[in-house]
């Protein structure tokens, strides 16, 4: 008798066959799913976290999410996330500028009224704990075929020594041939300078005074009212201000050399504000003398802030007209003249000099301002230093003053070619500025060529580096989902847990007072490997918990209450539960970071003495090593496990 499967068995066999067929068809997807699940399982294990650390996405309510262009840690322990218009033309046109204040202690958030477009501004920590924010965006770039009207820079002259003149955005200028151009920003032209010249005859008799008037001048970007070639001009000409009459019409006029339909770059603003961490608001101060977009602001040993580089009010890289901000007077003055590409990394070093490792971001010719060196601000001299390889790939590089700052060693990591270059380098290099003839030496190479790498100094003297991309703005799906630790003592890298979010252009990372690292932003050009779909700004915030916080659970050194200021000997005593456990102490300056440029962060080794229930730290008396401001004090044990930070104010 022939064997006939039952109806039930037929169905079962058919089901097994169908499953087998589906499994065969979807084998790659099933394998990928299984690998992903195994990876998730592996990275969740305590042993893995103790060795590599862990990542977690911050639960941030949608109404507080923003395009984080700038991130700064305040001495209240809160983090200021600044977007301005967030590289979003529609938000710029609507005047929608954003800032969010985040408190990592309880994960609370607050929207901050933002008075200017601080997109691509500069910022620096001030001696009293306020954050100086200066510069930003006056106008978005217009490129290629999108340029429909001739435009360019116009110098507005005022020959009246009696009064300044304010011209509102939209003021029209008329050429000798009748072509009209309109201003794109409000502008105030100071009154002309009047000088009296006294002369004497041969017999010593004073002649009647002669009056010399020198016209005041400012620049503004203008654009032809009509589209097309009618507004093109390559000839210098004088332009009348439409609507002015009488003496005003004679005294105020415009001069332009060339108005074209070439690419029109971003343009900067002069506005400056201090963010008050206690009142939690922006407070206006005197504007800068020059408009700046993509400037670096660096705090000096006397507490003043130097503003360097940036695109000006007509979209041209500043020629070197740097300026100084005095937080006592809230005013700006002329600084030492020197040219740098935009967002240059400038580190305060011994003797108050600034070191430029050639790391920068953004704009400037490939053959100017790209060499590293030591800038003596008092003499305004620049001593070039040799040894840096891949000198043509320092744009979008990461750089930092290695811990402890007393060693005076600076490191540069990765970088890429100028502009939209596809080049990127795995090179790292170090320089010891204490050497009589300092020169760069090769460091350990990164796993691959990397632009936009973020580097954060940790309390145990290691450097955590994360993210970046191989190509310009993550082009070709080139984000690097890798992180690693750099150990200055062994001069080597070790792997860290992989981040889950890609980070490239407009990304930032900073150390939190509890010893974790927060990573923000990313502005990819495209969203796929084929570069056929436009990218979107990454608004998720990812928190990295280093291995030192996984080793012993919640068991970490405890630094208790203490003073908020140093005594006359530069000391501060804090309560401590187990002083004998404490091995070392570090004074760490809070970050103010943008475009992977963070010239604020530094870690200073402190002398430590202990009693049965307290620990006393002594801060070096060297303003070039410890510029005035608020700092975090961390103590660590023999395993490198840090306490939570206590804040202390180092005054001028």
């Amino acid at each position: 008798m022939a064997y006939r499967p039952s109806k039930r068995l037929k169905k079962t066999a058919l089901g097994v066959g169908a499953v087998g067929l589906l499994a065969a068809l979807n084998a790659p997807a099933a394998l990928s799913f299984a690998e992903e699940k195994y990876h998730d399982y592996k990275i969740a294990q305590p042993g893995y976290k103790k060795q590599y650390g862990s990542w977690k996405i911050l639960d941030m309510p949608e109404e507080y999410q923003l395009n984080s262009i700038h991130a700064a840690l305040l001495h209240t322990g809160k983090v200021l996330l600044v977007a301005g218009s967030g590289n979003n033309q529609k938000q710029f046109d609507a005047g929608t500028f954003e800032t969010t204040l985040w408190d990592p202690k309880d994960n609370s958030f607050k929207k901050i009224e933002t008075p200017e477009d601080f997109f691509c501004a500069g910022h620096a920590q001030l001696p009293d704990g306020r954050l100086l924010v200066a510069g930003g965006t006056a106008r978005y770039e217009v490129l290629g075929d999108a340029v429909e009207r001739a435009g360019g820079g116009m110098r507005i002259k005022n020959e009246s020594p009696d009064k300044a003149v304010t011209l509102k955005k939209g003021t029209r200028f008329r050429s000798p041939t009748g072509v009209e151009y309109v201003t794109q920003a409000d502008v105030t032209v100071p009154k002309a300078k009047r000088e009296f010249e006294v002369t004497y005859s041969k017999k010593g008799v004073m002649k009647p005074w002669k009056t010399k008037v020198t016209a005041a001048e400012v620049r503004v970007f203008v654009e032809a009212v009509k589209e097309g070639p009618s507004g093109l001009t390559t000839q210098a000409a004088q332009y009348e201000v439409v609507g002015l009459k009488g003496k005003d019409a004679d005294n105020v006029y415009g001069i332009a050399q060339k108005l074209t339909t070439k690419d029109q770059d971003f343009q900067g603003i002069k506005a400056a504000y201090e963010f008050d961490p206690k009142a939690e608001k922006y407070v206006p101060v005197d504007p800068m003398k020059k408009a700046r977009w993509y400037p670096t602001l660096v705090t000096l040993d006397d507490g003043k802030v130097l503003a360097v580089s940036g695109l000006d009010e007509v979209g041209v890289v500043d020629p070197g007209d740097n300026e100084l901000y005095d937080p006592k007077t809230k005013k700006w003055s002329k600084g030492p003249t020197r040219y740098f590409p935009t967002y240059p990394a400038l580190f305060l070093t011994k003797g108050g000099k600034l070191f430029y490792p050639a790391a920068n971001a953004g704009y400037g010719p490939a053959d100017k301002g790209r060499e590293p060196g030591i800038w003596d601000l008092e003499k305004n001299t620049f001593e070039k230093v040799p040894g840096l390889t891949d000198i043509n790939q320092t744009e979008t590089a990461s750089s930092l003053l290695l811990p402890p700052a007393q060693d005076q060693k600076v490191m540069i990591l990765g970088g890429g070619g100028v502009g939209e270059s596809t080049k990127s380098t795995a090179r790292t290099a170090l320089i010891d500025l204490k050497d009589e003839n300092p020169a760069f030496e090769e460091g350990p190479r990164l796993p691959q060529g990397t632009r936009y790498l973020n580097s954060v100094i940790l309390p145990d003297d290691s450097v955590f580096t994360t993210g970046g991309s191989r190509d310009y703005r993550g082009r070709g799906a080139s984000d690097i989902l890798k992180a690693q630790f750099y150990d200055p003592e062994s001069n080597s890298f070790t792997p860290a847990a992989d981040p889950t979010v890609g980070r490239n252009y407009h990304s930032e990372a900073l150390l939190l007072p509890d010893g974790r690292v927060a990573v923000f932003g990313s502005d990819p050009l495209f969203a796929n490997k084929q570069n056929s779909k436009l990218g979107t700004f990454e608004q998720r915030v990812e928190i990295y918990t280093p291995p030192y916080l996984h080793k012993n659970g919640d068991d970490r050194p405890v630094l208790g209450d203490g003073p908020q200021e140093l005594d006359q000997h530069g000391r501060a005593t804090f309560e401590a539960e187990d002083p004998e456990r404490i091995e070392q102490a570090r004074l760490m300056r809070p970050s103010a970071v943008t475009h992977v440029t963070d010239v604020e962060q530094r870690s200073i080794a402190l002398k430590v003495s202990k009693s049965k229930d307290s620990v006393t730290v002594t801060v070096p008396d060297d303003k070039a090593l410890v510029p005035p401001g608020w700092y975090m004090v961390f103590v660590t044990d023999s395993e490198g496990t840090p306490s939570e930070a206590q804040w202390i104010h180092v005054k001028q």
Side-chain angles (χ1 to χ4, degrees):
M1 185 177 177
Y3 174 73
R4 291 182 181 179
S6 68
K7 290 181 180 179
R8 180 181 177 184
L9 187 57
K10 283 181 181 179
K11 289 179 181 178
T12 302
L14 180 62
V16 170
V19 169
L21 177 61
L22 287 172
L25 290 173
N26 293 286
L31 181 61
S32 176
F33 178 77
E35 288 176 344
E36 184 179 323
K37 287 299 177 185
Y38 175 71
H39 176 72
D40 291 345
Y41 167 79
K42 182 178 72 172
I43 66 176
Q45 300 310 300
Y48 182 92
K49 292 180 179 180
K50 287 179 182 179
Q51 185 172 358
Y52 301 107
S54 64
W55 290 91
K56 185 178 182 180
I57 299 294
L58 175 67
D59 184 14
M60 191 175 189
E62 187 175 349
E63 64 264 33
Y64 298 106
Q65 294 175 16
L66 76 170
N67 296 355
S68 299
I69 307 295
H70 311 270
L73 177 63
L74 308 173
H75 75 272
T76 57
K78 299 180 182 181
V79 179
L80 193 72
L81 299 174
V82 184
S85 59
N87 203 17
N88 184 313
Q89 176 83 54
K90 290 182 179 178
Q91 292 205 165
F92 175 80
D93 292 341
T96 303
F97 310 139
E98 295 182 298
T99 300
T100 290
L101 191 63
W102 166 47
D103 188 345
K105 266 195 172 297
D106 59 8
N107 279 341
S108 60
F109 303 88
K110 180 181 179 180
K111 281 285 187 184
I112 303 296
E113 185 177 343
T114 309
E116 305 275 356
D117 189 4
F118 294 134
F119 169 54
C120 293
H123 32 57
Q125 303 282 1
L126 294 174
D128 66 355
R130 294 189 179 204
L131 183 79
L132 176 65
V133 182
T137 306
R139 185 174 186 262
Y140 270 58
E141 66 183 1
V142 185
L143 305 175
D145 294 339
V147 181
E148 297 174 340
R149 294 175 171 84
M154 179 172 288
R155 292 179 294 140
I156 304 177
K157 299 271 193 175
N158 179 14
E159 293 185 353
S160 170
D162 300 318
K163 65 177 183 179
V165 175
T166 297
L167 302 177
K168 292 292 185 181
K169 178 180 178 180
T171 297
R172 293 195 179 200
F173 285 80
R174 184 180 294 131
S175 76
T177 59
V179 180
E180 292 189 356
Y181 301 83
V182 62
T183 58
Q184 300 299 304
D186 295 347
V187 61
T188 297
V189 193
K191 57 186 178 182
K193 185 177 181 181
R194 178 191 282 135
E195 295 177 306
F196 297 101
E197 184 179 347
V198 179
T199 59
Y200 295 87
S201 68
K202 291 181 180 181
K203 294 182 178 181
V205 178
M206 186 174 69
K207 295 181 179 180
W209 288 355
K210 290 183 179 179
T211 303
K212 180 183 178 183
V213 175
T214 304
E217 177 183 304
V218 297
R219 289 202 304 172
V220 68
F221 186 85
V222 298
E223 193 174 53
V225 172
K226 294 182 179 179
E227 295 181 9
S230 63
L232 291 169
T233 176
T234 57
Q235 301 295 320
Q238 182 169 314
Y239 296 73
E240 65 174 298
V241 182
V242 176
L244 288 187
K245 297 179 180 179
K247 287 186 177 180
D248 287 343
D250 294 333
N251 289 327
V252 182
Y253 54 90
I255 294 178
Q257 303 289 332
K258 185 186 295 185
L259 300 169
T260 74
T261 53
K262 291 182 178 179
D263 288 351
Q264 298 165 359
D265 274 319
F266 281 95
Q267 295 158 16
I269 59 177
K270 299 177 181 179
Y273 286 74
E274 291 181 356
F275 185 80
D276 185 337
K278 293 182 179 178
E280 297 184 343
K281 67 178 183 179
Y282 290 104
V283 179
V285 296
D286 267 14
M288 295 181 289
K289 309 295 182 185
K290 299 289 294 286
R292 299 182 191 275
W293 186 87
Y294 263 59
T296 290
L297 271 58
V298 56
T299 305
L300 304 180
D301 53 357
D302 60 0
K304 293 180 180 178
V305 175
L306 181 65
V308 175
S309 193
L311 298 189
D312 66 12
E313 63 272 19
V314 297
V316 175
V317 179
D318 187 89
D321 297 330
N322 309 308
E323 48 193 307
L324 286 162
Y325 178 74
D326 187 339
K328 294 178 180 177
T329 64
K330 315 293 185 188
K331 295 183 181 299
W332 296 85
S333 60
K334 182 176 174 55
T337 301
R338 187 154 300 277
Y339 172 89
F340 291 94
T342 57
Y343 278 140
L346 296 167
F347 296 100
L348 181 64
T349 62
K350 59 184 179 180
K353 298 176 183 178
L354 296 180
F355 179 70
Y356 172 54
N360 61 88
Y363 295 77
D367 58 352
K368 188 177 180 183
R370 302 283 173 174
E371 291 186 271
I374 301 167
W375 186 14
D376 186 323
L377 300 179
E378 287 190 9
K379 299 177 182 176
N380 197 19
T381 57
F382 189 83
E383 178 190 348
K384 295 179 181 178
V385 296
L388 184 62
T389 58
D390 292 344
I391 194 73
N392 64 337
Q393 295 178 67
T394 59
E395 196 165 281
T396 66
S398 179
S399 58
L400 70 157
L401 180 65
L402 285 171
Q406 283 93 331
D407 288 350
Q408 293 288 284
K409 291 182 179 179
V410 174
M411 187 176 191
I412 181 171
L413 304 92
V418 173
E420 298 185 17
S421 168
T422 59
K423 290 181 179 179
S424 61
T425 178
R427 174 263 296 118
T428 75
L430 302 96
I431 187 168
D432 188 342
L433 297 174
K434 297 194 308 300
D435 285 351
E436 187 175 343
N437 298 299
F440 273 104
E441 295 182 357
E442 287 282 315
R445 293 184 70 79
L446 295 166
Q448 65 187 96
T450 308
R451 305 174 68 132
Y452 316 105
L453 184 71
N454 275 286
S455 300
V456 179
I457 302 170
L458 300 183
D460 64 354
D461 283 353
S462 64
V463 177
F464 176 67
T465 70
T466 182
S469 66
R470 185 186 67 256
D471 201 351
Y472 172 76
R473 288 185 65 178
R475 207 163 35 191
S478 61
D479 280 354
I480 300 167
L481 292 173
K482 294 289 182 185
Q484 48 272 319
F485 296 102
Y486 172 74
D487 180 4
E489 280 198 15
S490 65
N491 191 27
S492 62
F493 285 109
T494 54
D498 297 338
T500 61
V501 180
R503 308 283 180 181
N504 53 71
Y505 183 53
H506 286 151
S507 65
E508 311 86 40
L510 54 76
L511 176 69
L512 298 174
D514 61 10
R516 297 179 299 163
V517 175
V519 187
F520 317 92
S522 190
D523 197 356
L525 197 58
F526 299 105
N528 59 356
K529 191 171 185 178
Q530 296 75 27
N531 297 331
S532 59
K533 183 180 178 183
L534 289 177
T536 56
F537 203 104
E538 178 57 70
Q539 294 190 335
R540 287 177 294 174
V541 177
E542 197 166 19
I543 310 293
Y544 178 70
T545 301
Y548 54 50
L549 294 180
H550 286 294
K551 288 178 181 177
N552 301 307
D554 293 331
D555 182 24
R556 57 193 297 188
V558 176
L559 192 65
D561 291 338
Q564 289 199 321
E565 294 179 7
L566 301 172
D567 67 16
Q568 60 181 342
H569 302 292
R571 297 176 305 202
T573 299
F574 298 91
E575 296 175 2
E577 289 185 2
D578 185 5
E580 290 307 312
R581 181 180 179 181
I582 294 169
E583 291 290 324
Q584 67 178 28
R586 294 291 183 264
L587 187 73
M588 304 191 73
R589 192 170 177 89
S591 287
V593 57
T594 185
H595 294 70
V596 303
T597 303
D598 186 355
V599 301
E600 288 286 4
Q601 70 165 341
R602 62 177 52 212
S603 177
I604 300 109
L606 304 179
K607 291 180 181 178
V608 180
S609 60
K610 310 170 196 175
S611 72
K612 64 177 183 179
D613 56 6
S614 67
V615 60
T616 298
V617 298
T618 303
V619 176
D621 184 19
D622 182 349
K623 298 302 183 185
L625 183 66
V626 190
W630 283 84
Y631 286 80
M632 294 178 283
V633 179
F634 286 94
V635 294
T636 55
D637 63 15
S638 59
E639 294 185 333
T641 306
S643 65
E644 289 200 30
Q646 291 285 0
W647 288 91
I648 196 157
H649 191 195
V650 179
K651 293 191 172 182
Q652 287 176 277

